[in-house]
Amino acid sequence: MPILNWIPSRKRESGLDPRLVVIVTFCAIAVCKATTTALLLLGIQLVIVVSAGAVGVRIGPLYSRSLLVLPFSLAALPLLFSVEGTPLFQLFGWQASVEGGRRFLLIVCHCWLCYQAMLLGAAAAGPFRFIQGLGRLGLPLKLVEILELALRYTDLLLDEAGRMRRARSCRGESTNLPLGERMRYSGQMLGTLFLRTLDRAERVQLAMKCRGLGGRSLQGDLPSMSTGSLIASLFIVVFSAGYLLYA
């Protein structure tokens, strides 16, 4: 599945409880967001790298896929000019400050590290088991079902959109259209794709009801957490809470 290929691959099965992976992932994100020191942020990066090696996640794909978040972090670029402080440089009459630059770089680092932690968690547990762990930790079952079905059927929708584009090309319609025509065609394609998605969703829901799958995860039940996983989860939560209070 192309969407699932976005998750970094594993060299081997980690065998970790998905609930433990979820707890570690969100605690790591909370600790990262509360960290403002460059040395500690570097330490968090080293922990992510070591953890990836320990659970068998490939480092290269983890880094390359985490670059996706960098364009979104550019939304914090106005802080470079809006925060008052020591002048850094001037651009088109706008004065940039050293303090604004530090805040902007801090946000970029936070986004990058948090996205790495999320990718690592999804890769370590597996995307479907990660969602299942969320459900066992209190996420509503209806939302768990929606996430699982969305993960399964996103590729089908992308394939349907690709077939619609190929059909348009086979009809000999030009691709070099004005912007207005392209927007009109995109709107028509999205409308048709929405109707096909709705029809597919109704058939999937009917099939699930016939199989008695409503109201529970599609992945089955998880066994109870082992004593080691419970102790590790408790230690990580207490450590993260203490760090957040100290920070």
Side-chain angles (χ1 to χ4, degrees):
M1 299 175 69
I3 291 295
L4 295 184
N5 288 342
W6 182 255
I7 306 297
S9 59
R10 293 172 291 178
K11 301 176 184 176
R12 59 184 182 276
E13 291 294 329
S14 62
L16 295 174
D17 191 297
R19 289 157 291 194
L20 174 61
V21 175
V22 169
I23 292 172
V24 172
T25 299
F26 284 99
C27 286
I29 291 174
V31 168
C32 178
K33 291 294 292 181
T35 303
T36 57
T37 307
L39 188 60
L40 292 178
L41 289 174
L42 180 60
I44 293 175
Q45 178 66 89
L46 291 176
V47 170
I48 291 176
V49 172
V50 172
S51 301
V55 298
V57 175
R58 302 181 185 277
I59 304 297
L62 179 65
Y63 269 106
S64 61
R65 286 159 173 76
S66 63
L67 295 176
L68 174 69
V69 77
L70 294 182
F72 296 95
S73 62
L74 294 179
L77 190 60
L79 290 174
L80 187 63
F81 303 96
S82 61
V83 176
E84 297 181 357
T86 306
L88 182 61
F89 64 88
Q90 196 168 11
L91 182 65
F92 301 116
W94 292 84
Q95 183 66 53
S97 64
V98 175
E99 289 76 7
R102 289 174 179 170
R103 189 172 298 182
F104 169 70
L105 291 177
L106 182 63
I107 292 176
V108 172
C109 290
H110 282 167
C111 293
W112 193 37
L113 292 175
C114 290
Y115 190 57
Q116 283 185 41
M118 183 61 69
L119 278 179
L120 179 58
F128 290 106
R129 285 176 60 82
F130 189 86
I131 295 174
Q132 191 179 12
L134 287 172
R136 290 301 298 269
L137 290 174
L139 192 70
L141 286 178
K142 184 62 67 176
L143 186 55
V144 171
E145 287 184 3
I146 291 173
L147 291 175
E148 289 176 343
L149 289 173
L151 194 58
R152 285 180 179 275
Y153 288 99
T154 297
D155 290 309
L156 294 177
L157 297 180
L158 293 177
D159 185 60
E160 186 72 26
R163 286 199 297 267
M164 293 172 64
R165 287 195 297 267
R166 287 194 298 272
R168 176 172 174 263
S169 300
C170 292
R171 288 194 296 268
E173 298 183 19
S174 175
T175 57
N176 298 323
L177 297 174
L179 179 61
E181 289 295 322
R182 290 203 300 267
M183 293 178 63
R184 184 177 65 85
Y185 169 75
S186 298
Q188 292 175 350
M189 188 181 71
L190 287 176
T192 304
L193 188 61
F194 173 76
L195 293 177
R196 293 187 181 183
T197 302
L198 185 61
D199 179 66
R200 185 182 294 271
E202 290 177 349
R203 286 188 278 122
V204 169
Q205 184 184 21
L206 180 60
M208 289 177 61
K209 287 183 177 180
C210 293
R211 292 174 174 86
L213 294 177
R216 61 186 178 89
S217 172
L218 300 179
Q219 305 301 313
D221 295 329
L222 287 172
S224 300
M225 290 185 70
S226 63
T227 305
S229 297
L230 286 172
I231 294 175
S233 301
L234 181 61
F235 172 78
I236 291 170
V237 170
V238 171
F239 173 80
S240 302
Y243 181 87
L244 295 175
L245 290 175
Y246 175 77

